[in-house]
Amino acid sequence: MAIQSTGYTTDRTGAGIGTGPVLASSTLNGENVRNAAGEDLGEIKDLMIDTANGTIQYAVLSFGGWLGMGDKLFAVPWNSMRLDTANHCLVLDVSKERLKDAPGFDKDNWPDFADTTFTNRISNYYH
């Protein structure tokens, strides 16, 4: 799957310019995630958006398992990842071993993303 821009443009004043490309969320779902060493860490299953300010807070990463069975899900702070358009993936700079030990959840038991205890734990783990 190739990461593609929506073609978003701004006026001459620069109004609307953000810190990166504007993408359709569907472009990122299913996108591969690798670490800086190029190891496969899984794929994006969903994005968690803060509806109060309209920003992506977490990417839900699926890791482990085989053919979608036994995968563990991880909420990764969006600001811990970077977009690598040249290699058509997202990069999360953690080792596979560190990711295996990260706080995770299963597809049938999602955490409460409004719970500050949970979100602080996630933020502290990746930062």
Side-chain angles (χ1 to χ4, degrees):
M1 172 179 288
I3 299 172
Q4 297 181 5
S5 171
T6 61
Y8 177 78
T9 58
T10 63
D11 64 21
R12 290 182 217 231
T13 67
I17 291 177
T19 58
V22 175
L23 302 171
S25 63
S26 60
T27 300
L28 297 172
N29 284 340
E31 195 61 45
N32 292 327
V33 178
R34 300 189 193 293
N35 62 19
E39 296 175 304
D40 181 27
L41 297 180
E43 70 179 39
I44 300 298
K45 289 296 185 186
D46 217 331
L47 300 173
M48 304 307 294
I49 299 169
D50 182 330
T51 58
N53 65 23
T55 60
I56 299 172
Q57 294 298 303
Y58 301 94
V60 177
L61 173 66
S62 173
F63 172 73
W66 186 69
L67 295 176
M69 295 172 47
D71 286 4
K72 187 174 178 184
L73 299 177
F74 300 90
V76 177
W78 185 248
N79 61 5
S80 296
M81 305 179 89
R82 67 179 167 81
L83 187 62
D84 182 348
T85 55
N87 293 304
H88 306 290
C89 67
L90 290 161
V91 177
L92 174 63
D93 198 16
V94 299
S95 68
K96 276 188 169 186
E97 290 306 312
R98 180 140 172 89
L99 185 58
K100 286 178 186 175
D101 294 334
F105 56 98
D106 67 54
K107 66 180 181 177
D108 296 321
N109 191 20
W110 282 55
D112 178 1
F113 284 89
D115 177 3
T116 56
T117 302
F118 170 75
T119 56
N120 287 338
R121 192 168 130 224
I122 297 299
S123 181
N124 290 336
Y125 192 85
Y126 290 99
H127 292 112

